[in-house]
Amino acid sequence: MMPFSFKTMALICAAGVGSRAGGTLPKQYQSLNGLPMLVHTIAAFAQTPCVLDVLVVIGSADEWFDELVAPHLPAGVMVARVGGASRAISVSNGLQFLKDYGKNLDHWVMVHDAARPCIRPELIQRLFDGVCAAQADGGLLALPVVDTVKLAEQLSDAAPDVYQVRQTLKRDELWLAQTPQMFGLGALLRALSHVIDAENSDWVTDEASVMESFGVSPLLVGGHASNLKVTYPEDFLLAEFWLNHHKT
């Protein structure tokens, strides 16, 4: 049964390090168009009509947020220094923060990666409208796979970039998951708590997979290629392109 709410909350995960992106700062604090990446991410949710509250989850020992991001925060954005050792723990702690803050467990929450700074308000609204219109138990932005996909295994540790093809997968049934991912606050908190209590949260790379493991079939709502996850150094140039493109 879907939560009864005409608004949603946003939980932005910004507790990671992002070592593959390079640089001297965690990637969410590196500059894009003259501002920290995280500033762009927060701004998109703060400008979306269906988003009632925005919570940013950072690490307890974060040394950069107050100096680099706080001066650019829109009014009303909340910050919680409750990031944990894994994504699941960080999100769970953030949800618990919202619960303790007095938020209704029946309300929607959208979990989003700080490293997807090119998310646009219209995509966020599209997800919200799609899930509510379908009366679904949750959903996420996603893109259908267009490339041929190979299942492979690494040949040896001595050749880390060389793999042997095992199988070609049927791509017309495959989608690339993006964020935000939208579920009921209470339902997602309970599911993550079960996973964390079982001391088996390392496999969690998104919230939808956790909900699927408890029998939920999330709705896939069409996203956009611009909503990329900045992972490698070369992704910064692509993110700046999309940010500039959205301004025109």
Side-chain angles (χ1 to χ4, degrees):
M1 189 72 174
M2 77 170 188
F4 180 77
S5 176
F6 297 108
K7 294 282 186 177
T8 183
M9 296 169 282
L11 191 161
I12 299 174
C13 299
V17 176
S19 58
R20 289 177 293 180
T24 57
L25 294 172
K27 63 182 176 183
Q28 62 268 32
Y29 296 118
Q30 294 187 42
S31 179
L32 283 176
N33 285 359
L35 289 171
M37 181 190 303
L38 181 54
V39 172
H40 296 285
T41 309
I42 295 169
F45 285 89
Q47 296 167 14
T48 304
C50 68
V51 177
L52 180 63
D53 296 293
V54 178
L55 173 67
V56 184
V57 174
I58 62 177
S60 60
D62 187 295
E63 303 173 4
W64 307 277
F65 185 91
D66 290 344
E67 177 182 354
L68 299 177
V69 176
H72 305 284
L73 278 186
V77 173
M78 298 178 288
V79 181
R81 292 179 174 271
V82 295
S86 70
R87 178 192 181 94
I89 294 173
S90 294
V91 173
S92 180
N93 289 349
L95 296 173
Q96 186 64 49
F97 177 92
L98 289 171
K99 177 184 174 183
D100 294 342
Y101 196 78
K103 298 304 178 181
N104 194 316
L105 293 179
D106 288 334
H107 284 187
W108 293 113
V109 63
M110 287 186 179
V111 181
H112 187 70
D113 299 326
R116 291 186 185 270
C118 303
I119 184 65
R120 307 195 309 275
E122 54 264 39
L123 289 176
I124 300 168
Q125 190 71 45
R126 181 191 299 173
L127 173 62
F128 182 80
D129 292 344
V131 171
C132 290
Q135 298 188 22
D137 289 325
L140 62 149
L141 292 180
L143 287 178
V145 170
V146 296
D147 295 319
T148 300
V149 180
K150 306 289 185 181
L151 184 65
E153 59 185 349
Q154 190 175 352
L155 288 179
S156 71
D157 292 337
D161 295 325
V162 180
Y163 290 75
Q164 183 73 51
V165 172
R166 291 173 50 195
Q167 181 184 352
T168 299
L169 303 180
K170 190 175 180 181
R171 68 182 179 188
D172 59 357
E173 298 178 352
L174 299 177
W175 288 66
L176 299 174
Q178 298 183 336
T179 65
Q181 301 192 356
M182 174 177 163
F183 298 97
L185 193 162
L188 182 55
L189 180 57
R190 287 190 296 272
L192 286 170
S193 296
H194 280 296
V195 171
I196 293 168
D197 289 345
E199 299 183 352
N200 182 29
S201 65
D202 291 342
W203 62 271
V204 176
T205 57
D206 75 341
E207 290 64 51
S209 58
V210 176
M211 297 301 287
E212 290 162 35
S213 71
F214 287 90
V216 174
S217 296
L219 193 72
L220 295 179
V221 176
H224 194 275
S226 63
N227 187 25
L228 77 158
K229 185 175 183 180
V230 176
T231 305
Y232 299 106
E234 57 267 28
D235 294 333
F236 285 88
L237 287 176
L238 188 54
E240 288 190 332
F241 165 80
W242 282 116
L243 288 171
N244 289 327
H245 178 75
H246 294 337
K247 293 178 181 178
T248 60

